[in-house]
C-alpha cells in the first residue's frame, strides 16, 4: 500500500532566502530546547548518556521493542580508504546521538568486512550498544517484508514510521554519490524502497544524498513524535540548505530570463 505524507506532517517548511532560513533555524532550535526542557531532558551541550535505557535496549534483530535502524555496508568495495574512514566516523556520531536519546533506537551495522572492523575498533566499537554483524543484511534480517530501504532515488516518500519495520540506510557517505546504488540494491533484494520526504516538506533543491548521521537523527526524531518537516529542519546542515536555496534561485532566474 502506498504511504502518504500528509500536509500536517510537512507543516512548517523552510522559508526562502538565506536570512529567512537562519531565522527559521533559530526558531526551530529554540523550540527544540524548550521541548527538551519540558521533557525534563538536560540541555544539548550538557546532555548525559542514558545508561539505564541503553542497558535495557534489546539488540536482537527480531525484537521490535525499539525502532530498528540498519546501516548496510554493502558498498565498501566501491569506496576508497578516506571514504570508509569518514563512514566509520559517521557511524560513531550515530551512536553518540543514540546514547543521549530518552528512548534509544536499536542500531545494527551489517556486512562489516575485516578492514572496516579495524576502523571501527580504533573508535572503541567494542564498548558500543550496537549490533555489529559481519554477515549480510538478508542473513541478519531474513524477512524481506519488514525491510524498508532508504534511497534518495526511490519514487515513494517515507511516511509514518512503524516499529514493526526495519529501516535500512545505505553505507555511503554523502560526498560521493553513486547514482542508483541503494535503489538497485533494494530492487535486487526485492524489498521496499522509500526516500525521505524532502520535496513534500518544502526542501526544494536540497541534495537528496544526506549523510548517515542526518538520516538516522531524523528517523529518531520522527519516531519520538516530531513531524518530518520539524525533524528535517532540525538536522539538515545549514550548508546543505544553502545549496538547495541556491539551486532554486538559479532555476527561478532561468525561468524569468526565458523570452
Amino acid at each position: 500500500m502506498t504511504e502518504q505524507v500528509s500536509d500536517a506532517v510537512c507543516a512548517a517548511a523552510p522559508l526562502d532566502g538565506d536570512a529567512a532560513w537562519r531565522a527559521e533555524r533559530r526558531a526551530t532550535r529554540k523550540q527544540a530546547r524548550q521541548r527538551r526542557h519540558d521533557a525534563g531532558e538536560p540541555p544539548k551541550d550538557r546532555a548525559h548518556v542514558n545508561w539505564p535505557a541503553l542497558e535495557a535496549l534489546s539488540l536482537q534483530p527480531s525484537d521490535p521493542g525499539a525502532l530498528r535502524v540498519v546501516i548496510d555496508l554493502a558498498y565498501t568495495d566501491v569506496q576508497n580508504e578516506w571514504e570508509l574512514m569518514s563512514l566509520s566516523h559517521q557511524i560513531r556520531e550515530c551512536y553518540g546521538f543514540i546514547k543521549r536519546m530518552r528512548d534509544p533506537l536499536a542500531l545494527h551495522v551489517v556486512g562489516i568486512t575485516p578492514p572496516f572492523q579495524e576502523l571501527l575498533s580504533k573508535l572503541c566499537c567494542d564498548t558500543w550498544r550496537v549490533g555489529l554483524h559481519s554477515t549480510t543484511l538478508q542473513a541478519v534480517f531474513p524477512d524481506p517484508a519488514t525491510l524498508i530501504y532508504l534511497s534518495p532515488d526511490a519514487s515513494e516518500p517515507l511516511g509514518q514510521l512503524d516499529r514493526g519495520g526495519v529501516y535500512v540506510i545505505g553505507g555511503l557517505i554523502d560526498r560521493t554519490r553513486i547514482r542508483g546504488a541503494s535503489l538497485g540494491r533494494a530492487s535486487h533484494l526485492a524489498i521496499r524502497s522509500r526516500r525521505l520526504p524532502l520535496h513534500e516538506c518544502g526542501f526544494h533543491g536540497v541534495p537528496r544524498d544526506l549523510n548517515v548521521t542526518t538520516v538516522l537523527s531524523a528517523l529518531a526524531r520522527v519516531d519520538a513524535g516530531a513531524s518530518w518537516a520539524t525533524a528535517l529542519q532540525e538536522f539538515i546542515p545549514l550548508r546543505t540548505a544553502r545549496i538547495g536555496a541556491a539551486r532554486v534561485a538559479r532555476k527561478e532566474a532561468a525561468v524569468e530570463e526565458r523570452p
Side-chain angles (χ1 to χ4, degrees), residues 171-214:
L172 289 163
I173 66 169
D174 54 310
R175 295 183 185 89
T176 305
R177 174 165 170 72
I178 304 177
R179 185 176 297 277
S182 53
L183 183 61
R185 178 152 172 77
S187 177
H188 175 72
L189 297 176
I191 59 179
R192 290 173 289 171
S193 61
R194 298 289 185 272
R195 57 175 172 81
L196 297 186
L198 295 171
H199 180 78
E200 289 76 9
C201 293
F203 291 85
H204 304 292
V206 171
R208 296 178 297 172
D209 298 272
L210 302 176
N211 66 40
V212 171
T213 311
T214 298

Side-chain angles (χ1 to χ4, degrees), residues 98-169:
I98 292 171
K99 290 194 300 183
R100 298 191 298 270
M101 293 176 62
R102 168 170 287 189
D103 186 14
L105 57 80
L107 176 62
H108 295 266
V109 183
V110 300
I112 301 175
T113 61
F116 199 83
Q117 179 63 51
E118 291 182 10
L119 292 175
L120 292 178
S121 296
K122 293 178 181 178
L123 303 177
C124 302
C125 68
D126 56 321
T127 65
W128 299 355
R129 288 285 296 159
V130 172
L132 302 175
H133 311 272
S134 61
T135 48
T136 63
L137 173 65
Q138 53 270 44
V140 181
F141 297 94
D143 184 2
T146 64
L147 297 172
I148 302 98
Y149 213 111
L150 302 180
S151 170
D153 301 306
S155 59
E156 294 186 39
L158 184 60
Q160 295 181 343
L161 301 184
D162 177 11
R163 284 287 180 96
V166 180
Y167 297 87
V168 186
I169 304 172

Side-chain angles (χ1 to χ4, degrees), residues 195-243:
R195 57 175 172 81
L196 297 186
L198 295 171
H199 180 78
E200 289 76 9
C201 293
F203 291 85
H204 304 292
V206 171
R208 296 178 297 172
D209 298 272
L210 302 176
N211 66 40
V212 171
T213 311
T214 298
V215 176
L216 179 139
S217 301
L219 286 171
R221 189 66 80 225
V222 172
D223 181 59
S227 69
W228 271 114
T230 298
L232 293 171
Q233 192 167 333
E234 182 174 351
F235 292 110
I236 289 179
L238 181 59
R239 66 181 181 277
T240 303
R242 284 177 173 174
I243 293 173

